């Protein structure tokens, strides 16, 4: 029995994982999301869940003759990507979007009953924009930046978990009170951002006393509401970016009305010293609101200020001046996809690196030339945005006046530049699409179809289990157990992948139940022949499986080939019903092979190692009549 313990452990673990997948609904582990409010959290298709069915035809119209011409493969690819992006970003369920033939797009939205909203989102014209991205833009805060608010310095105990404002532990350890005393109030009061660069991290580190300086700002009700909005923008700006996006951090500049000296207050767990050096600190915010009052506290000590420096910079009765500095600000310049002549992928001469080539029309050339002339040689960027989603934001090295340019990036690959060029083309000239078919599937019809399918599956499974147990006896119980394990594994795979189940897919799953039993029948018949020949149960199991395997392999492989052909034709002709049938049946066949070859064989081998192996009559349909007299007698003893 020990020989089969490892296989048995694998089966038990798989069964436990599958049962957990089906029991937990919904499943949410990091970015992995599965399940919902459907049966067992399975992903259901349009015919089971109800929803919207839309079919579009795409065609290009010649502006001179008015004749329609079919779109190219790249244009259809770009159109498909645009529709997928819009539907996914709109939150319209779990869409099924695919191309049918050369010029049609099928959109199915299970669970979406708002057909007009779906048509509006899909049919909107893609909007491509070129924007002037200005970095570190200062903006005043009403009621706070005009010197109307008073500020005072208070000393508060440091939080227990708060580390000292220091760049490194070594710098803190080497600092002495004498070093701290070298920073005089006069030097601090007259310092400018350039002068502040002379203040070293070591000096700032030693000046954090047990009682730390905090700036207390009293605002009016109106100004408090505005300032809270500013703080929210600061919080949002430190959200980790996704993909290749760049994080543009907002921050505050705090000073006194009439003074040129300012204190930089970022809202992030990274402090910026007057020298420009950054270092990690605790994740507590620099600026906090005191409850629901109109009082705000600014932790000046986190920026490296001593109590003396804070009182010098912000004397009693001083009027505070706070400026919000936006990490980025995109300015409209009137340059859109309507001004783009074409965009295509290419390679840069000399280096062979992938680039995106863009060409503008006459009006776009003028606008692009003016924009690049203004940006060239500055830290500002050229932001390219499609449907309010940033594609890229390159810098401009020199004015581009000829209307032709290329875009390069460190993370560019040949696949990515092709995708970007397709998106630019789609944004510039979306292929006109015409709605040729729309259908709203009633959810009641879907629920009725689903309930009947579930009943049919349960009845079919019960009948198969009953037949196997009555006819093949002990071996039939083994097959029934393997079949239950098969059903649990199959449903778990459907949920985990996920597989979108349509009515045809459910019928394929029910059909695969019979195919799963078919392999067991072939094996049991071979076993019966070996037992009739006088072999032991274990020997009959091993030989029966070995002799039945070629027939099982060939039948299942032929079924998988048929499923592949069905899937290919369904994908080409746009028949999602047939595609669902092919996918579901192929998964069912694969799981049934595991069930018959691994699960059934392991369970039979385990039985062969028990005292039941002596009673051979319970493993054949005819009992003792199917066995030689010697074997039958041995089985009875």
């Amino acid at each position: 029995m020990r020989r089969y313990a490892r296989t048995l452990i694998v089966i038990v673990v798989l069964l436990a994982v599958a049962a957990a997948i089906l029991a937990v609904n919904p499943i949410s582990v990091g970015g992995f999301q599965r399940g919902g409010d459907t049966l067992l959290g399975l992903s259901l298709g349009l015919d089971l869940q109800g929803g919207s069915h839309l079919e579009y035809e795409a065609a290009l119209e010649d502006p001179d003759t008015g004749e329609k011409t079919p779109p190219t493969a790249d244009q259809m690819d770009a159109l498909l990507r645009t529709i997928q992006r819009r539907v996914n970003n709109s939150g319209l369920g779990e869409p099924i979007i695919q191309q049918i033939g050369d010029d049609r797009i099928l959109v199915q939205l299970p669970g979406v009953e708002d057909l007009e909203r779906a048509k509006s989102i899909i049919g909107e014209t893609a909007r491509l924009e070129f924007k002037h991205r200005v970095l570190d833009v200062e903006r005043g805060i009403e009621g706070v930046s005009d010197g109307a608010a008073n500020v005072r310095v208070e000393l508060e105990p440091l939080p227990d978990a708060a580390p000292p404002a220091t760049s490194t532990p070594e710098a803190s350890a080497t600092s002495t009170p004498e070093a701290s005393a070298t920073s005089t109030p006069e030097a601090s009061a007259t310092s400018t951002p350039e002068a502040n660069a002379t203040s070293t991290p070591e000096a700032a580190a030693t000046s954090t006393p047990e009682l730390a300086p905090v700036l207390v700002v009293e605002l009016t009700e109106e100004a408090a509401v505005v300032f809270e909005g500013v703080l929210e923008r600061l919080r949002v700006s430190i959200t980790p970016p996704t993909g290749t996006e760049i994080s543009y951090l907002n921050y505050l500049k705090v000073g006194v009305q009439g003074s040129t000296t300012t204190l930089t207050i970022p809202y992030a767990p990274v402090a910026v010293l007057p020298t420009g050096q950054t270092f990690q600190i605790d994740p507590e915010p620099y600026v906090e609101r005191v409850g629901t009052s109109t009082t705000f506290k600014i932790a000046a000590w986190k920026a490296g200020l001593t109590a003396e420096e804070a009182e010098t910079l912000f004397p009693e009765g001083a009027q505070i001046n706070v400026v919000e500095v936006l990490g980025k600000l995109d300015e409209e310049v009137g340059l859109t996809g309507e001004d783009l002549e074409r965009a295509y992928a290419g390679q840069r001469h000399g280096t062979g690196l992938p680039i995106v080539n863009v060409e503008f029309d006459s009006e776009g050339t003028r606008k692009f030339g003016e924009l690049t002339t203004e940006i060239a040689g500055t830290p500002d960027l050229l932001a390219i945005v499609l449907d309010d989603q940033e594609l890229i934001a390159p810098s401009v090295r020199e004015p581009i006046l000829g209307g032709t340019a290329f875009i390069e990036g460190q993370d560019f690959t040949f696949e990515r530049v092709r995708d970007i060029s397709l998106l630019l083309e789609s944004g510039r000239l979306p292929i006109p699409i015409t709605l040729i078919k729309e259908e709203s599937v009633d959810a009641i019809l879907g629920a009725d179809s689903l309930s009947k399918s579930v009943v049919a599956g349960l009845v079919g499974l019960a009948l198969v289990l009953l037949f196997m147990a009555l006819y093949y006896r002990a071996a039939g119980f083994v097959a029934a157990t393997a079949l239950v394990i098969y059903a649990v594994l199959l449903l778990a795979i459907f949920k985990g992948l996920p597989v979108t189940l349509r009515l045809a897919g459910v019928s394929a799953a029910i059909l695969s139940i019979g195919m799963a039993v078919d392999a067991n029948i072939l094996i049991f018949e071979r076993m019966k022949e070996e037992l009739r020949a006088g072999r032991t149960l274990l020997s009959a199991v091993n030989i029966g499986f070995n002799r039945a395997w070629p027939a099982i392999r060939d039948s299942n492989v032929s079924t998988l080939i048929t499923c592949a052909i069905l899937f290919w034709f369904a994908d080409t002709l746009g028949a999602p019903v047939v595609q669902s049938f092919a996918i579901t049946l192929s998964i069912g066949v694969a799981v049934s092979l595991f069930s018959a070859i691994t699960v059934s064989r392991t369970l039979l081998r385990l039985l062969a190692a028990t005292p039941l192996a002596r009673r051979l009559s319970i493993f054949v349909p005819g009992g003792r009549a199917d066995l030689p007299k010697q074997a039958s007698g041995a089985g009875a003893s």
Side-chain angles (χ1 to χ4, degrees), residues 185-430:
E186 292 77 6
S188 176
T190 59
S191 62
T192 63
E194 292 76 10
N196 278 343
T198 61
S199 177
T200 64
E202 290 79 2
T206 63
S207 59
T208 304
E210 186 175 355
L211 293 177
V214 176
L215 306 182
V216 181
V217 184
E218 299 284 351
L219 301 178
T220 63
E221 291 284 353
E222 296 77 7
V225 173
V226 174
F227 197 52
E228 185 65 35
V230 172
L231 297 183
E232 181 60 28
R233 284 195 291 273
L234 292 176
R235 297 185 188 101
V236 172
S237 75
I238 66 172
T239 302
T242 59
T244 58
E245 297 177 9
I246 299 175
S247 179
Y248 298 92
L249 297 180
N250 296 358
Y251 58 94
L252 299 178
K253 280 187 177 181
V254 182
V256 175
Q257 186 74 7
S259 173
T260 58
T261 303
T262 58
L263 178 66
T264 298
I265 304 291
Y267 195 100
V270 177
V272 182
L273 290 175
T275 60
Q277 182 180 357
T278 60
F279 58 92
Q280 294 293 126
I281 61 168
D282 62 288
E284 294 298 321
Y286 280 74
V287 187
E288 287 184 303
R289 187 171 186 172
V290 180
T292 58
S293 68
T294 59
T295 301
F296 291 82
K297 291 185 177 182
I298 302 175
W301 63 272
K302 289 186 179 181
L305 288 185
T306 65
E308 295 80 8
E309 290 172 336
E311 291 174 351
T312 301
L313 285 173
F314 304 95
E316 185 176 354
Q319 292 181 316
I320 196 171
N321 181 36
V322 181
V323 176
E324 179 185 13
V325 182
L326 300 177
K328 69 172 182 178
L329 180 64
D330 291 342
E331 297 179 349
E332 305 280 351
V333 294
L335 184 62
T336 68
E338 297 297 326
D339 304 305
L340 192 64
E341 188 70 31
R342 62 185 297 228
Y344 57 95
Q347 292 178 260
R348 187 174 181 183
H349 294 295
T351 64
L353 295 176
I355 58 175
V356 178
N357 296 284
V358 292
E359 297 178 5
F360 293 91
D361 58 19
S362 57
E363 182 64 18
T365 298
R366 181 188 64 80
K367 295 177 182 177
F368 192 66
E370 293 175 354
L371 175 59
T372 55
T373 300
E374 182 180 359
I375 295 177
T378 69
D380 296 351
L381 304 175
L382 172 64
I384 303 177
V385 181
L386 181 64
D387 285 347
D388 295 326
Q389 180 179 348
E390 179 183 324
L391 290 179
I392 39 182
S395 59
V396 180
R397 300 174 182 173
E398 58 186 23
I400 304 173
L401 306 178
T404 302
F406 68 86
I407 305 168
E408 61 180 348
Q410 294 181 351
D411 61 334
F412 276 15
T413 62
F414 289 102
E415 182 179 1
R416 183 162 189 247
V417 296
R418 180 179 179 274
D419 291 345
I420 291 175
S421 61
L422 286 174
L423 290 173
L424 292 177
E425 281 286 299
S426 174
R428 176 190 64 83
L429 182 62

